[in-house]
Amino acid sequence: MKMCIGRVIENKRIIEDYYLLTLACEDIAGCIQEGQILHVQCGDEEQKDPLLRRPFSVYRFNRDKGQIQIMYLVKGKGTRVMATFKKGEHVSLIGPTGSHFEVAEGTKEDSLLIYGRGVGIAAIVSLAEKARRLERKTMVILSGKTNKKIISKDYLEAIGCQVIVVHDADGTSSVENIEKITREALEKYHVKGLYTCGSNRIGRLFKRICDEYNVKGYISVEEHMACGIGVCFGCICKTAQGHKRVCTDGPVFNIEDIEI
């Protein structure tokens, strides 16, 4: 974990209130791993308003270029400030913090199934990239309130993922339908790992299915954070090993360990 200064390369609106922030920061880009967290200072350096940094899972990173990307949804004071970041501006960062995703062991014939909902999709894109670099078959379920709120579909398809889009508007995002899709994938595609971010209800479903099928499962836990470095204990979650801090012990946990 380091405190670094990133330089804004691009900060563009993707769809509706979703933005993609690209930063140049070689120190963090050189060591960050899939699913880890970056803490962004949004407020003015002198006024410190808003005071607390905002945590984001890394969306993508490029070690060769020394760049990192954050996908964020504008919905509060901090992210409204972030939406005003201009090319060339400097941004204070702390990171990377926390645990990261592991690609479940297997052969090129074995698949991974990844689920992301809403802005939680941002946490699983770099994982899908890694899986494809390892030539693993990768199915990604993208969920949202409507079809217009689904992010990253085109990119994930472009890198070779099989993408299934579900949303609330037509009822396809129901737990029952996700269970149906997941069970069919487990039977047909030799799935060795289930991954989720952005929905506790799907986390509970995957926990049950992982136990039933004896496959590895991982969940990226979403939680409000204050200090972001494990001091304040404000982002506690329950696990089989006791209470853990999402900012440092997580955000990625083995799904069998987490209590959701």
Side-chain angles (χ1 to χ4, degrees):
M1 177 179 64
K2 306 175 182 179
M3 181 179 290
C4 303
I5 298 298
R7 178 172 51 85
V8 177
I9 302 297
E10 188 176 49
N11 187 28
K12 63 180 180 180
R13 181 175 174 267
I14 304 300
I15 54 169
E16 297 191 356
D17 292 328
Y18 286 88
Y19 283 70
L20 179 63
L21 174 64
T22 303
L23 298 164
C25 186
E26 292 184 359
D27 285 347
I28 291 179
C31 63
I32 197 166
Q33 298 191 68
E34 295 76 12
Q36 286 190 300
I37 300 173
L38 297 170
H39 302 268
V40 179
Q41 182 175 302
C42 306
D44 181 83
E45 182 65 31
E46 294 182 0
Q47 296 181 359
K48 296 292 194 298
D49 182 30
L51 175 64
L52 298 176
R53 294 171 183 264
R54 299 303 192 258
F56 300 94
S57 293
V58 62
Y59 176 66
R60 297 180 61 203
F61 57 90
N62 187 312
R63 301 199 198 284
D64 293 334
K65 292 184 178 180
Q67 294 181 0
I68 47 180
Q69 290 186 316
I70 297 168
M71 183 78 75
Y72 64 98
L73 171 64
V74 176
K75 66 176 185 178
K77 187 172 186 178
T79 48
R80 285 197 297 270
V81 172
M82 287 178 62
T84 69
F85 288 173
K86 298 293 191 297
K87 181 177 180 180
E89 285 188 29
H90 290 89
V91 180
S92 176
L93 307 169
I94 291 178
T97 65
S99 56
H100 60 90
F101 284 114
E102 300 280 358
V103 174
E105 292 184 3
T107 69
K108 293 179 182 179
E109 300 304 314
D110 297 321
S111 302
L112 305 179
L113 189 151
I114 305 171
Y115 172 96
R117 178 173 172 85
V119 75
I121 293 170
I124 56 89
V125 170
S126 62
L127 166 65
E129 287 183 316
K130 182 175 183 178
R132 293 302 300 141
R133 287 197 301 270
L134 296 173
E135 300 183 12
R136 299 291 294 277
K137 296 178 181 178
T138 307
M139 176 185 290
V140 183
I141 303 173
L142 301 179
S143 177
K145 291 183 178 180
T146 67
N147 190 53
K148 290 183 178 180
K149 290 186 177 292
I150 302 296
I151 58 176
S152 303
K153 174 180 180 292
D154 292 344
Y155 176 71
L156 289 167
E157 288 180 333
I159 64 173
C161 297
Q162 178 185 347
V163 178
I164 298 174
V165 172
V166 299
H167 52 83
D168 301 350
D170 65 1
T172 53
S173 61
S174 68
V175 174
E176 293 76 17
N177 190 47
I178 302 303
E179 180 168 4
K180 178 176 179 290
I181 293 170
T182 302
R183 289 185 180 276
E184 288 177 352
L186 282 160
E187 298 292 343
K188 186 176 181 180
Y189 297 113
H190 306 287
V191 174
K192 294 296 185 181
L194 299 182
Y195 301 80
T196 179
C197 179
S199 172
N200 284 340
R201 62 180 187 156
I202 302 303
R204 288 189 286 271
L205 169 66
F206 278 11
K207 183 180 177 75
R208 174 163 52 85
I209 290 178
C210 284
D211 181 64
E212 181 181 341
Y213 282 81
N214 192 30
V215 299
K216 287 286 188 180
Y218 302 89
I219 181 170
S220 180
V221 176
E222 294 183 330
E223 188 58 76
H224 292 293
M225 298 179 191
C227 75
I229 57 174
V231 176
C232 72
F233 286 80
C235 58
I236 296 299
C237 67
K238 292 182 178 180
T239 75
Q241 292 80 36
H243 288 89
K244 298 289 186 180
R245 298 162 296 181
V246 174
C247 66
T248 52
D249 301 313
V252 179
F253 293 92
N254 289 328
I255 208 164
E256 64 183 17
D257 294 334
I258 201 76
E259 294 184 17
I260 48 177

